[in-house]
Amino acid sequence: MKQLVYSVIDKHRDEFLELAELLFHTPELGYKEQQTKHIIQTFLKNHDIEVEKEYFETGFQVTVGNAHKPHIGLIAELDAIPTIGHCCANPLDNAAHSCGHSTQVVMMIAALLTLKELIDTNQLHGRVTLFFCPAEEFIDIEYRKKLIANKSIYAIGGKQNMIIDHLFDNIDCCVHAHGMGKFKKYRFNVQSSLAGFVYKKYHFQGKASHAAMAPSEGINALSACNLFLQAQALLRETFLDSDMNRVHGIITNGGDVVNSIPSDVVYEAYIRSFSTKALMTLNEKLSNAAIHCAKAIGAQCNIEEIKGYFPFNQDILLSNVVYQNMLSFVSPCEIQTDEKSIASGDIGDLSLFKPTIQFGYTGFKGTMHGNNLEVSEPNFVYSITAKVIAASVIDLLANSKCLDDICSSFTPQMSIEDYKKYVTRSCYEIDDLN
């Protein structure tokens, strides 16, 4: 059965490469992927696959197979990221597929088409849904806040909204893949972890006055921010190495003119950790530090907080299924395992509720998120990876014990209702804290 799948993917290779080229040259930011959506849906329609459901501006899903169970979910992300100087950057907003998301789309479609053929001919039984997810990149915040205000979305990330709307409820497990850039040694990556993060915007407010003639009449918001940065630096000695905590930010407004005491200063930051508990604790400590450092010199600090993504922990049993299918194409020494990446993704949120994996694949040159990223090995990226995905789904659908073991060993980490409360509580003021 797997050999048939491989031959079908090879037969349509040129068609997949044409789709890949078109998508790579049509980069769009999250919740704006209208052209991308049209290209994909047209391609699917030409292969007799109709859209099952649309949601959240540009997201949609398709399903092959009529059986209620078993039900496997596949993930493809639609959005690009601003990348100044990339040869394929959209001139309107510098969007480019320097994150490699367009490659996910093609490989998942390739896998789905081959699985459809097996299911349609009764060689395989079950159901496979391919979710085309918008807005994985945590960017373009002001635009997305407007969408939230208009009730078009609940939260910043695409999968966050899909989780809240119960779109993943009926699947047994979920398979995802993401480009891992250029590696000399490794071809694939399994069982890696991703950090979780919270986005913070600290707004320090003081009182303006003439910086030379009357500094005593002012309250320096930049000094309040500097005091907070010292507190932030001192907190680093409390970090546990195993949590791999990170705090990094920039001052996006440091005052208006040199000759005036700054009355408004804005510091934006990400707080990251591999531990959900450590992330929440550190987040609260930093909020208290900012507020009380400002108070210490008579200033105020108002904080805007947007919940980012949860830490991602791979499902080990599901990873093992994919790992075994990788071995048909590469040797064990070419597969990286157990990497801890400080990067984040909304796939972490999905892993709270369903057995989920995101394996990595190479075949690129240049730097991930860089202006020189391009696909250097199209056969590996689009064909070999699609074969691994399709073969893994075959194992899951054909071996009920394997899938039962995966599902029975998994425990959801919270309810959808509690999750919604957490991710949609986006702002708080000074009076809400201690």
Side-chain angles (χ1 to χ4, degrees):
M1 194 183 300
K2 291 181 182 180
Q3 290 303 320
L4 175 61
V5 163
Y6 301 159
S7 65
V8 172
I9 290 174
D10 290 338
K11 182 176 72 174
H12 292 284
R13 181 177 181 274
D14 290 343
E15 192 176 3
F16 296 143
L17 290 178
E18 183 178 345
L19 174 63
E21 189 73 10
L22 183 57
L23 288 173
F24 194 74
H25 287 82
T26 313
E28 297 169 295
L29 299 184
Y31 302 119
K32 302 174 183 177
E33 309 102 322
Q34 296 294 346
Q35 287 181 280
T36 302
K37 175 180 173 181
H38 175 73
I39 291 168
I40 297 169
Q41 291 187 353
T42 299
F43 185 91
L44 292 171
K45 188 174 183 180
N46 290 338
H47 288 273
D48 299 320
I49 297 179
E50 297 293 333
V51 173
E52 180 182 33
K53 187 181 295 185
E54 297 189 1
Y55 32 72
F56 303 115
E57 304 295 298
T58 50
F60 63 100
Q61 67 190 58
V62 297
T63 295
V64 298
N66 296 316
H68 182 65
K69 292 286 184 179
H71 190 180
I72 309 302
L74 304 177
I75 292 285
E77 294 162 346
L78 300 173
D79 58 327
I81 191 170
T83 316
I84 295 173
H86 195 283
C87 63
C88 297
N90 184 329
L92 294 176
D93 50 25
N94 290 306
H97 276 300
S98 58
C99 47
H101 288 181
S102 62
T103 64
Q104 297 175 20
V105 172
V106 178
M107 69 177 65
M108 289 297 178
I109 289 176
L112 186 75
L113 291 182
T114 61
L115 293 166
K116 179 180 185 297
E117 186 165 322
L118 294 177
I119 292 172
D120 287 350
T121 56
N122 292 317
Q123 298 178 70
L124 192 64
H125 300 281
R127 191 176 187 185
V128 181
T129 295
L130 174 48
F131 299 92
F132 293 94
C133 305
E136 186 274 337
E137 301 290 349
F138 199 90
I139 58 170
D140 208 9
I141 302 300
E142 294 306 315
Y143 174 76
R144 298 185 190 188
K145 284 164 62 178
K146 291 177 183 177
L147 292 179
I148 292 172
N150 293 334
K151 301 186 185 305
S152 299
I153 60 175
Y154 303 107
I156 298 296
K159 296 184 199 67
Q160 292 179 316
N161 294 288
M162 295 166 69
I163 291 166
I164 290 170
D165 241 24
H166 297 272
L167 294 173
F168 298 109
D169 282 7
N170 293 325
I171 63 170
D172 295 309
C173 62
C174 198
V175 176
H176 180 42
H178 199 292
M180 53 190 279
K182 181 181 178 181
F183 280 75
K184 292 182 179 179
K185 180 179 179 181
Y186 299 114
R187 306 297 285 155
F188 285 117
N189 170 300
V190 293
Q191 299 178 9
S192 63
S193 303
L194 297 177
F197 77 95
V198 175
Y199 164 85
K200 307 281 283 196
K201 190 173 186 178
Y202 304 90
H203 188 182
F204 295 90
Q205 296 173 303
K207 179 183 177 183
S209 66
H210 196 290
M213 293 179 59
S216 60
E217 296 180 13
I219 299 174
N220 195 318
L222 185 58
S223 295
C225 181
N226 282 331
L227 192 58
F228 165 64
L229 293 178
Q230 291 299 311
Q232 176 180 291
L234 291 171
L235 277 172
R236 285 192 167 90
E237 69 180 17
T238 69
F239 294 176
L240 293 176
D241 292 344
S242 58
D243 293 336
M244 296 182 71
N245 296 337
R246 299 288 189 274
V247 183
H248 53 94
I250 56 172
I251 294 176
T252 53
N253 178 24
D256 297 317
V257 293
V258 175
N259 207 30
S260 295
I261 295 293
S263 60
D264 291 281
V265 170
V266 177
Y267 176 73
E268 297 184 53
Y270 276 22
I271 305 167
R272 300 182 189 265
S273 180
F274 278 99
S275 164
T276 299
K277 181 179 179 181
L279 179 66
M280 293 178 175
T281 300
L282 178 57
N283 181 35
E284 183 178 358
K285 286 182 178 179
L286 288 169
S287 295
N288 286 329
I291 290 165
H292 294 293
C293 284
K295 280 185 174 182
I297 62 171
Q300 287 187 322
C301 182
N302 296 320
I303 303 171
E304 177 183 347
E305 173 178 297
I306 302 178
K307 298 299 195 300
Y309 303 147
F310 277 86
F312 177 44
N313 295 301
Q314 306 265 7
D315 186 273
I316 301 301
L317 295 178
L318 187 53
S319 289
N320 288 339
V321 174
V322 175
Y323 177 82
Q324 293 302 319
N325 284 289
M326 290 174 176
L327 295 176
S328 297
F329 304 97
V330 300
S331 66
C333 65
E334 294 178 293
I335 303 175
Q336 183 184 33
T337 59
D338 301 318
E339 179 198 19
K340 297 189 77 171
S341 171
I342 302 297
S344 305
D346 57 3
I347 195 70
D349 294 47
L350 182 54
S351 72
L352 296 172
F353 303 97
K354 294 290 177 179
T356 303
I357 62 164
Q358 175 182 283
F359 70 85
Y361 56 94
T362 57
F364 302 88
K365 67 178 181 180
T367 304
M368 195 62 64
H369 282 206
N371 62 12
N372 59 349
L373 186 83
E374 60 181 278
V375 176
S376 58
E377 299 177 72
N379 183 61
F380 190 88
V381 170
Y382 300 116
S383 298
I384 301 301
T385 309
K387 292 174 183 178
V388 171
I389 294 164
S392 299
V393 174
I394 288 172
D395 287 342
L396 294 169
L397 294 180
N399 186 343
S400 59
K401 184 180 185 306
C402 174
L403 187 56
D404 287 346
D405 288 345
I406 290 170
C407 295
S408 62
S409 65
F410 178 82
T411 302
Q413 300 301 298
M414 65 173 67
S415 69
I416 300 291
E417 291 71 25
D418 287 343
Y419 173 79
K420 181 179 180 179
K421 290 176 184 177
Y422 175 82
V423 300
T424 58
R425 183 177 180 266
S426 59
C427 301
Y428 56 81
E429 298 298 328
I430 185 170
D431 292 338
D432 292 323
L433 295 170
N434 296 343

Short mmCIF file of all heavy atoms in Angstrom, two decimals, residues 153-177:
data_model
loop_
_atom_site.label_atom_id
_atom_site.label_comp_id
_atom_site.label_asym_id
_atom_site.label_seq_id
_atom_site.Cartn_x
_atom_site.Cartn_y
_atom_site.Cartn_z
N ILE A 153 -12.37 37.45 14.99
CA ILE A 153 -11.54 36.40 15.60
C ILE A 153 -11.59 36.59 17.12
O ILE A 153 -11.98 37.64 17.61
CB ILE A 153 -10.07 36.45 15.10
CG1 ILE A 153 -9.43 37.81 15.45
CG2 ILE A 153 -10.00 36.19 13.60
CD1 ILE A 153 -7.94 37.89 15.10
N TYR A 154 -11.17 35.55 17.84
CA TYR A 154 -11.10 35.63 19.30
C TYR A 154 -9.72 36.03 19.78
O TYR A 154 -9.57 36.71 20.80
CB TYR A 154 -11.42 34.27 19.93
CG TYR A 154 -12.74 33.66 19.57
CD1 TYR A 154 -12.81 32.57 18.71
CD2 TYR A 154 -13.93 34.16 20.11
CE1 TYR A 154 -14.03 31.98 18.40
CE2 TYR A 154 -15.15 33.58 19.79
CZ TYR A 154 -15.19 32.49 18.93
OH TYR A 154 -16.39 31.91 18.63
N ALA A 155 -8.69 35.56 19.08
CA ALA A 155 -7.32 35.67 19.57
C ALA A 155 -6.37 35.90 18.40
O ALA A 155 -6.77 35.83 17.23
CB ALA A 155 -6.94 34.40 20.34
N ILE A 156 -5.10 36.16 18.70
CA ILE A 156 -4.12 36.52 17.69
C ILE A 156 -3.81 35.37 16.74
O ILE A 156 -3.78 35.53 15.52
CB ILE A 156 -2.81 37.00 18.36
CG1 ILE A 156 -3.07 38.25 19.20
CG2 ILE A 156 -1.73 37.28 17.31
CD1 ILE A 156 -3.52 39.47 18.43
N GLY A 157 -3.56 34.17 17.26
CA GLY A 157 -3.11 33.04 16.46
C GLY A 157 -4.25 32.27 15.81
O GLY A 157 -5.33 32.12 16.39
N GLY A 158 -4.00 31.76 14.61
CA GLY A 158 -5.03 31.05 13.87
C GLY A 158 -5.56 29.82 14.58
O GLY A 158 -6.77 29.61 14.71
N LYS A 159 -4.66 28.96 15.05
CA LYS A 159 -5.09 27.73 15.71
C LYS A 159 -5.78 28.02 17.04
O LYS A 159 -6.64 27.24 17.49
CB LYS A 159 -3.92 26.78 15.91
CG LYS A 159 -3.31 26.27 14.61
CD LYS A 159 -2.20 25.26 14.87
CE LYS A 159 -1.31 25.10 13.66
NZ LYS A 159 -0.51 26.30 13.34
N GLN A 160 -5.42 29.13 17.68
CA GLN A 160 -6.10 29.50 18.92
C GLN A 160 -7.59 29.67 18.66
O GLN A 160 -8.43 29.18 19.43
CB GLN A 160 -5.51 30.81 19.47
CG GLN A 160 -4.09 30.68 19.98
CD GLN A 160 -3.55 32.01 20.50
OE1 GLN A 160 -3.73 33.04 19.87
NE2 GLN A 160 -2.88 31.97 21.64
N ASN A 161 -7.93 30.36 17.60
CA ASN A 161 -9.34 30.56 17.25
C ASN A 161 -10.03 29.25 16.89
O ASN A 161 -11.18 29.01 17.26
CB ASN A 161 -9.44 31.54 16.08
CG ASN A 161 -8.98 32.93 16.45
OD1 ASN A 161 -9.66 33.63 17.19
ND2 ASN A 161 -7.83 33.33 15.96
N MET A 162 -9.31 28.40 16.18
CA MET A 162 -9.88 27.12 15.76
C MET A 162 -10.14 26.21 16.95
O MET A 162 -11.13 25.49 17.01
CB MET A 162 -8.95 26.46 14.75
CG MET A 162 -8.83 27.25 13.45
SD MET A 162 -7.45 26.72 12.39
CE MET A 162 -8.05 25.10 11.88
N ILE A 163 -9.25 26.27 17.94
CA ILE A 163 -9.45 25.49 19.18
C ILE A 163 -10.69 25.99 19.91
O ILE A 163 -11.54 25.21 20.33
CB ILE A 163 -8.21 25.59 20.09
CG1 ILE A 163 -7.02 24.85 19.47
CG2 ILE A 163 -8.51 25.04 21.48
CD1 ILE A 163 -5.69 25.18 20.12
N ILE A 164 -10.80 27.30 20.07
CA ILE A 164 -11.93 27.89 20.79
C ILE A 164 -13.25 27.55 20.11
O ILE A 164 -14.27 27.34 20.77
CB ILE A 164 -11.74 29.42 20.90
CG1 ILE A 164 -10.59 29.73 21.85
CG2 ILE A 164 -13.02 30.10 21.38
CD1 ILE A 164 -10.16 31.19 21.84
N ASP A 165 -13.23 27.45 18.79
CA ASP A 165 -14.43 27.11 18.03
C ASP A 165 -14.63 25.60 17.89
O ASP A 165 -15.47 25.16 17.09
CB ASP A 165 -14.38 27.75 16.64
CG ASP A 165 -15.54 28.71 16.41
OD1 ASP A 165 -16.09 29.21 17.41
OD2 ASP A 165 -15.89 28.97 15.25
N HIS A 166 -13.86 24.80 18.61
CA HIS A 166 -14.02 23.34 18.67
C HIS A 166 -13.80 22.65 17.32
O HIS A 166 -14.36 21.57 17.07
CB HIS A 166 -15.41 22.98 19.20
CG HIS A 166 -15.65 23.45 20.61
ND1 HIS A 166 -15.33 22.70 21.72
CD2 HIS A 166 -16.18 24.61 21.08
CE1 HIS A 166 -15.66 23.37 22.83
NE2 HIS A 166 -16.17 24.52 22.47
N LEU A 167 -13.00 23.24 16.45
CA LEU A 167 -12.82 22.67 15.11
C LEU A 167 -11.99 21.40 15.12
O LEU A 167 -12.06 20.60 14.18
CB LEU A 167 -12.19 23.71 14.18
CG LEU A 167 -13.07 24.93 13.89
CD1 LEU A 167 -12.30 25.98 13.10
CD2 LEU A 167 -14.32 24.52 13.14
N PHE A 168 -11.19 21.18 16.16
CA PHE A 168 -10.35 19.99 16.24
C PHE A 168 -10.98 18.89 17.12
O PHE A 168 -10.35 17.85 17.33
CB PHE A 168 -8.97 20.33 16.81
CG PHE A 168 -8.19 21.31 15.97
CD1 PHE A 168 -7.98 22.61 16.40
CD2 PHE A 168 -7.65 20.93 14.76
CE1 PHE A 168 -7.25 23.52 15.64
CE2 PHE A 168 -6.91 21.82 13.99
CZ PHE A 168 -6.71 23.11 14.43
N ASP A 169 -12.15 19.12 17.62
CA ASP A 169 -12.72 18.21 18.63
C ASP A 169 -12.85 16.77 18.14
O ASP A 169 -12.66 15.83 18.92
CB ASP A 169 -14.11 18.71 19.06
CG ASP A 169 -14.03 19.86 20.06
OD1 ASP A 169 -12.90 20.36 20.30
OD2 ASP A 169 -15.07 20.28 20.58
N ASN A 170 -13.17 16.56 16.87
CA ASN A 170 -13.51 15.22 16.40
C ASN A 170 -12.33 14.40 15.89
O ASN A 170 -12.49 13.24 15.54
CB ASN A 170 -14.58 15.31 15.29
CG ASN A 170 -15.90 15.83 15.83
OD1 ASN A 170 -16.27 15.53 16.97
ND2 ASN A 170 -16.61 16.61 15.03
N ILE A 171 -11.14 15.00 15.82
CA ILE A 171 -9.99 14.22 15.34
C ILE A 171 -9.38 13.43 16.50
O ILE A 171 -9.51 13.80 17.66
CB ILE A 171 -8.93 15.13 14.69
CG1 ILE A 171 -8.34 16.12 15.70
CG2 ILE A 171 -9.47 15.84 13.47
CD1 ILE A 171 -7.13 16.87 15.18
N ASP A 172 -8.73 12.32 16.15
CA ASP A 172 -8.06 11.50 17.16
C ASP A 172 -6.67 12.01 17.47
O ASP A 172 -6.21 11.96 18.62
CB ASP A 172 -7.97 10.05 16.67
CG ASP A 172 -9.33 9.41 16.52
OD1 ASP A 172 -10.12 9.48 17.49
OD2 ASP A 172 -9.62 8.86 15.44
N CYS A 173 -5.95 12.48 16.45
CA CYS A 173 -4.61 13.01 16.64
C CYS A 173 -4.28 13.91 15.46
O CYS A 173 -5.02 13.95 14.48
CB CYS A 173 -3.57 11.89 16.75
SG CYS A 173 -3.45 10.85 15.28
N CYS A 174 -3.18 14.62 15.57
CA CYS A 174 -2.86 15.61 14.55
C CYS A 174 -1.39 15.53 14.15
O CYS A 174 -0.50 15.47 15.01
CB CYS A 174 -3.18 17.01 15.08
SG CYS A 174 -3.33 18.23 13.76
N VAL A 175 -1.14 15.55 12.83
CA VAL A 175 0.21 15.49 12.28
C VAL A 175 0.53 16.80 11.58
O VAL A 175 -0.22 17.26 10.71
CB VAL A 175 0.34 14.31 11.28
CG1 VAL A 175 1.73 14.31 10.65
CG2 VAL A 175 0.06 12.99 11.98
N HIS A 176 1.66 17.38 11.95
CA HIS A 176 2.10 18.65 11.37
C HIS A 176 3.60 18.56 11.08
O HIS A 176 4.31 17.72 11.64
CB HIS A 176 1.82 19.78 12.36
CG HIS A 176 2.21 21.15 11.89
ND1 HIS A 176 1.99 21.59 10.60
CD2 HIS A 176 2.82 22.18 12.52
CE1 HIS A 176 2.44 22.82 10.47
NE2 HIS A 176 2.95 23.20 11.62
N ALA A 177 4.07 19.40 10.19
CA ALA A 177 5.50 19.45 9.86
C ALA A 177 5.90 20.90 9.63
O ALA A 177 5.08 21.72 9.21
CB ALA A 177 5.80 18.61 8.62
#
